Amino acid sequence: MATKTVELVVSPREPHFVGDGFRVHNFIPSAYRLDMQRMDPVIMMDYNSRYYFEPSEIPKGVGVHPHRGFETVTIAYKGKVEHHDSGGGGGIIGEGDVQWMTAASGVLHKEFHEKEWSKKGGDFQMVQLWINLPAKDKMSTPKYQSIENAAMSRYKLENNSGEIEIIAGEYEGLKGSASTFTPLHLFNAKLKKGATANFSFPNNYNTALLVIEGDIKVNSTEEAPTDHFVLMANDGEVFTIEATNDAIVLILSGEPINEPIAAHGPFVMNSKQELMQAFDDFNKGKFGYLED
Ligand code: MN
């Protein structure tokens, strides 16, 4: 099998706030190469790099807003988030946990720092992904998956040198518990200094890495420090990650859906007409009700 090479190493852009609770670097979509199609089905990535939030009696976050046509996946590395949606889904995710919300035909939701965590404050670090849905599933029923860290499958690397935590998809025969609409692998590689791990995905799968902690080398040559994003080329299947310091790396690889993308604000559909319909349905209250 051919080597999947590094196409681009991207440094984090200037952060901006989403609501008052998420200080994020946006990696996808960006004007340069990483548009919504390039990492399809991963159409958005916001990364709250490690950031200290002062204690606050009033939890910080993002108030009620709609989504339609895709899934939001929130991966918590530090801190705690509380989520509620108009479909009755909701819960608290803490360090290591993942919240997988399928907005599909439409939900209202709100995302805030968890109340007790907010009172104490602390380091906060999260990734939010938007995973696109194929046209045939965009108007399916919303659902919610809470994936606790303790329940995740783990592949132990040789000599106790680390582990691959499987959120979705499969690594060395171990399956992640998240259900996905299209083939998607989502892992956390936790590697001790000097450890290496090998990955293999079909060459048409759009593949990227985000260095959450530490420093890595990809294919023995390309260096990527903390908070950097590595876009892999679609030129081969296999690649290697080596931790040059203790590292945590988010690994994403998905089969492209290859359908037209029409996106505006919180809606991602296939055509302008469907977008207008989404705004119309939202304005008519068809996304349900959620208290502020
Ligand atoms: Mn949202």
Side-chain angles (χ1 to χ4, degrees):
M1 279 194 282
T3 300
K4 192 183 263 307
T5 63
V6 170
E7 181 171 326
L8 197 63
V9 178
V10 185
S11 51
R13 304 162 86 186
E14 279 298 301
H16 67 274
F17 269 86
V18 177
D20 62 359
F22 302 89
R23 179 187 175 271
V24 303
H25 311 275
N26 174 256
F27 282 104
I28 309 170
S30 68
Y32 179 67
R33 286 214 223 172
L34 281 161
D35 61 9
M36 281 183 151
Q37 291 284 3
R38 178 58 188 88
M39 270 301 292
D40 172 30
V42 180
I43 50 175
M44 202 283 303
M45 177 193 271
D46 268 349
Y47 172 47
N48 190 133
S49 59
R50 192 179 295 199
Y51 181 78
Y52 177 78
F53 279 94
E54 298 283 346
S56 172
E57 285 297 316
I58 301 165
K60 293 178 158 61
V62 192
V64 176
H65 59 279
H67 289 299
R68 171 181 281 180
F70 59 96
E71 304 183 281
T72 68
V73 176
T74 307
I75 305 164
Y77 293 96
K78 299 273 176 206
K80 269 189 180 177
V81 168
E82 198 167 341
H83 162 93
H84 296 278
D85 69 54
S86 54
I92 294 165
I93 59 160
E95 205 168 310
D97 298 339
V98 174
Q99 172 208 290
W100 200 296
M101 185 189 75
T102 306
S105 64
V107 295
L108 304 176
H109 81 157
K110 54 184 180 181
E111 303 155 274
F112 282 96
H113 297 176
E114 189 270 332
K115 214 181 288 171
E116 295 307 314
W117 185 89
S118 181
K119 283 179 187 168
K120 289 186 203 128
D123 280 345
F124 192 82
Q125 188 176 21
M126 308 234 163
V127 170
Q128 186 168 89
L129 307 171
W130 289 7
I131 310 294
N132 206 5
L133 292 172
K136 66 175 176 57
D137 298 314
K138 278 189 183 289
M139 293 302 282
S140 61
T141 308
K143 65 172 185 175
Y144 183 83
Q145 303 175 69
S146 179
I147 302 158
E148 281 171 25
N149 192 267
M152 288 178 192
S153 306
R154 288 181 170 74
Y155 180 84
K156 301 282 180 193
L157 297 168
E158 278 177 11
N159 306 320
N160 200 25
S161 64
E163 63 181 24
I164 311 298
E165 197 175 79
I166 304 141
I167 300 165
E170 187 173 338
Y171 185 82
E172 296 288 348
L174 286 179
K175 288 196 167 98
S177 64
S179 78
T180 64
F181 285 78
T182 59
L184 177 70
H185 301 282
L186 201 56
F187 312 145
N188 278 310
K190 299 183 171 176
L191 307 176
K192 291 185 183 160
K193 183 178 176 174
T196 59
N198 303 311
F199 299 89
S200 177
F201 304 114
N203 73 13
N204 69 314
Y205 276 36
N206 291 326
T207 302
L209 319 170
L210 180 67
V211 185
I212 302 294
E213 261 184 52
D215 302 279
I216 60 166
K217 258 187 201 172
V218 185
N219 294 331
S220 314
T221 52
E222 305 281 344
E223 293 179 16
T226 312
D227 298 340
H228 281 57
F229 178 95
V230 182
L231 176 67
M232 303 301 291
N234 296 95
D235 59 352
E237 296 82 21
V238 293
F239 62 96
T240 303
I241 295 176
E242 179 192 348
T244 44
N245 280 302
D246 289 2
I248 299 177
V249 186
L250 176 65
I251 293 158
L252 318 102
S253 184
E255 183 180 67
I257 295 170
N258 285 330
E259 289 175 351
I261 295 174
H264 194 91
F267 307 126
V268 183
M269 306 303 290
N270 299 109
S271 69
K272 269 204 173 130
Q273 195 187 354
E274 289 168 349
L275 273 184
M276 309 237 305
Q277 186 68 51
F279 278 100
D280 200 44
D281 288 350
F282 171 59
N283 289 329
K284 284 182 175 149
K286 289 188 180 171
F287 282 54
Y289 175 76
L290 185 64
E291 206 173 315
D292 276 324

